[in-house]
Amino acid sequence: MVTTMLWRIALFLLLLPGMAAAADLDRGRALAERWCGNCHLADRAASAGRADGLPTLPAIAARRETTAASLKGVLSAPHGRMPDLSLGARDQDDLIAYILSLRSN
Ligand code: HEC
């Protein structure tokens, strides 16, 4: 009984640093290209939006009202013709970190 519990605690402590790992910007970029890039240009260098007026991700990032929380809201409810992504928490965090990293200041 007690040993099982000790093993659980040891396992938990072992996994803890992994769970607290910093967001992975490369993963975030790949996710952005895959899930957002069809509609919002995801590249850091994308300055002009598409002809249909959809903002690029750098343009979205540059807005004052864009925050991690607002992006989380966008990701958890599909908008426009955006497919329902149901991204996991880690995917969301990486994606959000990538988008916010596009801010130039
Ligand atoms: C199928 C096309 C499509 C995809 C894919 C898509 N979006 Fe959008 N997005 C739109 C449209 C259309 C709008 C315009 C507002 C609306 O219709 O709600 C929009 C608006 C937004 C806005 C609000 C900006 C504004 O102008 O108000 C944000 C933020 C956003 N998208 C983020 C994302 C992110 C992040 C992804 C990737 C996870 C993504 N979108 C994927 C079509 C898409």
Side-chain angles (χ1 to χ4, degrees), residues 4-20:
T4 317
M5 212 159 91
L6 285 177
W7 271 114
R8 286 208 181 127
I9 292 170
L11 193 66
F12 176 73
L13 291 177
L14 210 70
L15 293 175
L16 203 56
M19 292 193 289

Side-chain angles (χ1 to χ4, degrees), residues 35-36 39-40 54-55 57 60 63 71 74-75 79-83 85 95 99:
W35 294 113
C36 320
C39 301
H40 309 280
L54 283 188
L57 290 187
I60 288 173
R63 292 184 186 158
L71 290 173
V74 169
L75 292 183
H79 62 273
R81 288 154 290 130
M82 182 179 120
L85 304 173
L95 188 51
I99 294 173

